[in-house]
Amino acid sequence: MKKTKISALFEKLRAEGKKAFIPYIMAGDPNPDETLNYTLLLERCGADIIELGVPFSDPLADGPTIQKAAGRALKSGTTLTKVLALVKEIRQHTAIPLILMTYYNPVFKYGEARFIQDSVEAGVDGVIIPDLPPEEAKEFIKLSHRSISGRQLDTVFLVAPTSTQSRIKKITAASSGFVYYVSMTGITGSKLELDEKVRGHLNLVRQTTDKPIAVGFGIATPEQARTVAQLADGVIVGSAIVKVFNESPEKAEHFIRGLREAIS
Amino acid sequence: MKREDLAHTGAHKINNALGQALLAKRMGKTRLIAETGAGQHGVATATGAALVGLECEIYMGTIDVQRQALNVFRMKLLGAKVREVDIGSKTLKDAINEALRDWTTNVRNTHYVLGTVFGPHPFPMMVRDFQAIIGKEAASQIMKAEGRMPDCLIACVGGGSNAIGLFNEFLDTGIRMIGVEAGGTGIESGAHAARFAGGSKGVLQGCKTYLLQDADGNVLDTHSVSAGLDYASVGPQHAHLMESGRVQYTNATDEEALAAFKMLSFAEGIIPALESAHAVAEAIKRAPEMPQDNIIIVNLSGRGDKDVQQVAKIKGINLCE
């Protein structure tokens, strides 16, 4: 597979001894225009990759903050089709790597092949589907890694602290761009506890793959981001950013810059 | 009537809950969680937990908590915590979501006792195997009572565990089988839970099956007078049996179920669960068109005591005065 924008980014950061800052926002929360503004703000604040959430009625991996964000986005009429249109719009303004985080049913309903084709054409660089295990994703991976006009989609799968050695192998082999390490057994926005056990497990993943590893779930403060940046190649922050945009958007820029500075 | 209503705790749910409680104990887990719609599976799981000595928390939508108050009290009596789920449709689907989120978080010490033939592998198969006793008993009981196999089997289908439990034993025979979904206020009205009549293929909560969803793959709200059938999806084996044509799926409306609830109480002295009343309604429709000597087995999956308050409320009767 050809080097993707995301792989190239991690290679560059690694050479410079830097870590990736990967913020998440929910597309269409509170509306598509604001999502465009937020995306550009995140880029100005130093984001390396942006994760765009696709709202779904039953977001199983998400805590209350992102569940509510999905509810607001659905209310504003956001669908997968509209998210892809939004990506096209974002691409008029920035080339920053974009990853869609979506549940599987909207993709299934849209059609896997059509989703991959339209995503690549819209300018999406990668996809995270938390309820699609690698065993069920063989066709999806094959189609995603096939070149469409010289571009392809990175497939990011999730390793949990309970993943066994053999599953870590499977998950990291299926992943491209980077591997998503879930910091805890839990849902997004839960309280972070990076104990020795998790650190040891993360090391096990390191020994299994040389692909970049980004850690997400529960990272809410610059201090936590700093700690995680010392262990991983990238730091994913979702709920805390979704929350600040929703509750006090005037404080968002300061908060996001604080996270960025912590992840050096 | 296959009298699952006579099982301990009042429904077939105990067959599975007890099996999984024992399994959890064997696996060294200290805590059980479960979702519940009508409250029967919650009561069964709380019972299993009490029996084998495990902690227990039950997730239940706030709408269901209101319409199944009696079962909520029973679960608490049995020592379970009842966690009200006030998000999404506030019914069974969201209770499953919350239970899965809990499980994701506490998987090291917790077993999730899924109550129906649904969810990720191995639940659809495991729950089927625990419920298969229904069909085995039905076969031996009908042989004893009538000396021959039945002509037709009827069961209601929410997630579908009582139906699979009955059908499983007879899948290799030519016996006609009918699954009855919740027709709510009618398929055209959109307020129902008839996944085969009004849904399409999708992937939800760990399995691929039929689903009530919109064009963008978001799950739709459902309606049924019975909390246990008020669910947007259906067990994947039912989807398979529908597509292969082995089982015929139909639906009964709220009104038909309520009429059957009343008729069975009056005619036989058996108050059925509103869920099971959907199966009874189908038998009432079919029996007049069948030869006199034909045998129908209706799975009476649960007793109706839990529904008496709700039915009184629907009829505008206040039981508290």
Side-chain angles (χ1 to χ4, degrees), chain A residues 140-250:
Chain A
F140 187 86
I141 294 168
K142 203 176 88 191
L143 291 173
S144 295
H145 294 177
R146 205 173 55 185
S147 167
I148 298 168
S149 331
R151 297 188 46 238
Q152 60 220 348
L153 218 49
D154 272 320
T155 52
V156 178
F157 288 91
L158 294 87
V159 176
T162 45
S163 299
T164 57
Q165 177 84 62
S166 66
R167 274 202 71 75
I168 294 171
K169 256 187 204 156
K170 242 185 223 174
I171 296 165
T172 54
S175 297
S176 68
F178 64 92
V179 176
Y180 194 134
Y181 187 85
V182 180
S183 68
M184 63 180 84
T185 58
I187 51 178
T188 57
S190 306
K191 195 171 172 292
L192 185 72
E193 278 174 60
L194 280 173
D195 58 13
E196 282 309 309
K197 241 172 139 182
V198 172
R199 286 165 196 252
H201 190 258
L202 191 53
N203 267 333
L204 192 66
V205 183
R206 274 266 182 252
Q207 288 158 19
T208 315
T209 181
D210 55 3
K211 289 174 186 168
I213 300 169
V215 174
F217 281 41
I219 300 158
T221 66
E223 292 70 39
Q224 291 171 333
R226 183 172 293 120
T227 309
V228 171
Q230 287 160 5
L231 307 168
D233 304 296
V235 182
I236 302 165
V237 185
S239 298
I241 289 174
V242 168
K243 200 168 179 174
V244 72
F245 273 132
N246 179 50
E247 287 174 6
S248 34
E250 73 286 353

Side-chain angles (χ1 to χ4, degrees), chain B residues 96-138:
Chain B
I96 296 179
N97 284 342
E98 277 302 282
L100 282 167
R101 288 182 185 118
D102 180 317
W103 201 26
T104 309
T105 308
N106 301 302
V107 61
R108 289 188 176 93
N109 71 357
T110 298
H111 177 67
Y112 177 19
V113 184
L114 218 160
T116 191
V117 285
F118 194 74
H121 176 74
F123 282 113
M125 290 164 69
M126 177 168 63
V127 178
R128 175 200 63 199
D129 291 346
F130 283 135
Q131 293 294 0
I133 186 70
I134 301 174
K136 288 188 185 122
E137 285 179 354

Side-chain angles (χ1 to χ4, degrees), chain A residues 69-197:
Chain A
R72 290 191 297 268
L74 288 173
K75 219 170 196 176
S76 80
T78 311
T79 60
L80 180 52
T81 308
K82 287 194 178 160
V83 175
L84 292 173
L86 174 64
V87 170
K88 264 188 198 164
E89 167 83 17
I90 292 172
R91 280 289 170 249
Q92 306 292 314
H93 304 272
T94 170
I96 191 166
L98 288 173
I99 294 182
L100 292 189
M101 177 141 176
T102 177
Y103 288 88
Y104 184 65
N105 198 48
V107 174
F108 177 76
K109 194 76 182 163
Y110 195 92
E112 278 192 357
R114 184 172 154 238
F115 168 75
I116 291 161
Q117 174 88 27
D118 291 359
S119 293
V120 170
E121 279 173 5
V124 175
D125 297 289
V127 201
I128 304 170
I129 307 180
D131 61 344
L132 182 67
E135 290 87 346
E136 303 287 345
K138 293 199 178 94
E139 184 67 14
F140 187 86
I141 294 168
K142 203 176 88 191
L143 291 173
S144 295
H145 294 177
R146 205 173 55 185
S147 167
I148 298 168
S149 331
R151 297 188 46 238
Q152 60 220 348
L153 218 49
D154 272 320
T155 52
V156 178
F157 288 91
L158 294 87
V159 176
T162 45
S163 299
T164 57
Q165 177 84 62
S166 66
R167 274 202 71 75
I168 294 171
K169 256 187 204 156
K170 242 185 223 174
I171 296 165
T172 54
S175 297
S176 68
F178 64 92
V179 176
Y180 194 134
Y181 187 85
V182 180
S183 68
M184 63 180 84
T185 58
I187 51 178
T188 57
S190 306
K191 195 171 172 292
L192 185 72
E193 278 174 60
L194 280 173
D195 58 13
E196 282 309 309
K197 241 172 139 182

Side-chain angles (χ1 to χ4, degrees), chain B residues 1-2 132 134-140 142 148-157 162-180 238 241 246-250 278-280 282-283 286 290 294-300:
Chain B
M1 300 287 162
K2 172 69 178 88
I134 301 174
K136 288 188 185 122
E137 285 179 354
S140 77
I142 199 74
R148 70 175 183 94
M149 283 288 140
D151 302 286
C152 177
L153 307 173
I154 304 178
C156 65
V157 181
N162 89 83
I164 288 286
L166 177 65
F167 296 164
N168 192 58
E169 181 73 9
F170 302 94
L171 284 176
D172 296 333
T173 71
I175 297 169
R176 209 158 158 203
M177 302 183 189
I178 299 150
V180 188
H238 284 291
L241 293 171
R246 178 63 190 92
V247 177
Q248 186 192 342
Y249 292 86
T250 179
H278 286 71
V280 176
E282 182 62 21
R286 274 178 192 265
M290 289 169 72
N294 268 19
I295 300 171
I296 303 175
I297 294 182
V298 176
N299 199 14
L300 209 65

Side-chain angles (χ1 to χ4, degrees), chain B:
Chain B
M1 300 287 162
K2 172 69 178 88
R3 299 291 307 274
E4 289 299 306
D5 61 321
L6 297 179
H8 183 49
T9 70
H12 71 292
K13 292 292 184 188
I14 193 75
N15 299 335
N16 166 54
L18 212 49
Q20 289 200 46
L22 289 166
L23 187 68
K25 184 91 177 170
R26 163 93 183 168
M27 291 190 294
K29 307 286 180 180
T30 55
R31 179 172 172 264
L32 296 183
I33 54 168
E35 83 296 343
T36 198
Q40 288 302 123
H41 177 58
V43 168
T45 304
T47 302
L51 183 70
V52 304
L54 298 171
E55 266 181 76
C56 185
E57 274 181 58
I58 306 293
Y59 288 90
M60 189 169 187
T62 47
I63 290 179
D64 293 338
V65 166
Q66 286 157 18
R67 58 181 167 179
Q68 300 288 347
L70 180 69
N71 273 343
V72 174
F73 188 66
R74 289 170 78 199
M75 286 182 256
K76 288 179 181 168
L77 263 181
L78 290 158
K81 264 188 220 145
V82 178
R83 301 279 293 263
E84 298 190 21
V85 179
D86 198 35
I87 47 172
S89 63
K90 305 175 186 186
T91 56
L92 183 56
K93 168 179 78 87
D94 302 279
I96 296 179
N97 284 342
E98 277 302 282
L100 282 167
R101 288 182 185 118
D102 180 317
W103 201 26
T104 309
T105 308
N106 301 302
V107 61
R108 289 188 176 93
N109 71 357
T110 298
H111 177 67
Y112 177 19
V113 184
L114 218 160
T116 191
V117 285
F118 194 74
H121 176 74
F123 282 113
M125 290 164 69
M126 177 168 63
V127 178
R128 175 200 63 199
D129 291 346
F130 283 135
Q131 293 294 0
I133 186 70
I134 301 174
K136 288 188 185 122
E137 285 179 354
S140 77
Q141 287 169 7
I142 199 74
M143 283 307 289
K144 210 169 157 192
E146 300 290 338
R148 70 175 183 94
M149 283 288 140
D151 302 286
C152 177
L153 307 173
I154 304 178
C156 65
V157 181
S161 71
N162 89 83
I164 288 286
L166 177 65
F167 296 164
N168 192 58
E169 181 73 9
F170 302 94
L171 284 176
D172 296 333
T173 71
I175 297 169
R176 209 158 158 203
M177 302 183 189
I178 299 150
V180 188
E181 299 185 282
T185 55
I187 304 305
E188 316 72 39
S189 74
H192 61 84
R195 292 66 46 103
F196 292 129
S200 56
K201 279 182 211 172
V203 176
L204 182 70
Q205 293 167 337
C207 60
K208 182 177 175 187
T209 180
Y210 277 69
L211 198 57
L212 291 171
Q213 57 183 332
D214 65 17
D216 302 297
N218 287 301
V219 181
L220 294 171
D221 282 350
T222 52
H223 164 79
S224 170
V225 69
S226 85
L229 304 185
D230 197 353
Y231 181 49
S233 193
V234 59
Q237 195 181 354
H238 284 291
H240 169 71
L241 293 171
M242 189 279 284
E243 289 195 342
S244 74
R246 178 63 190 92
V247 177
Q248 186 192 342
Y249 292 86
T250 179
N251 54 80
T253 62
D254 288 352
E255 210 176 307
E256 288 166 334
L258 285 164
F261 178 86
K262 197 175 159 190
M263 186 188 277
L264 194 72
S265 302
F266 177 77
E268 299 286 343
I270 301 169
I271 302 175
L274 279 176
E275 291 75 20
S276 323
H278 286 71
V280 176
E282 182 62 21
I284 292 170
K285 271 186 235 173
R286 274 178 192 265
E289 290 158 20
M290 289 169 72
Q292 281 277 327
D293 59 350
N294 268 19
I295 300 171
I296 303 175
I297 294 182
V298 176
N299 199 14
L300 209 65
S301 53
R303 56 192 289 156
D305 304 48
K306 68 182 177 62
D307 296 311
V308 169
Q309 267 181 320
Q310 171 76 0
V311 172
K313 201 172 151 198
I314 291 166
K315 291 182 185 295
I317 300 163
N318 189 344
L319 295 179
C320 296
E321 282 172 7

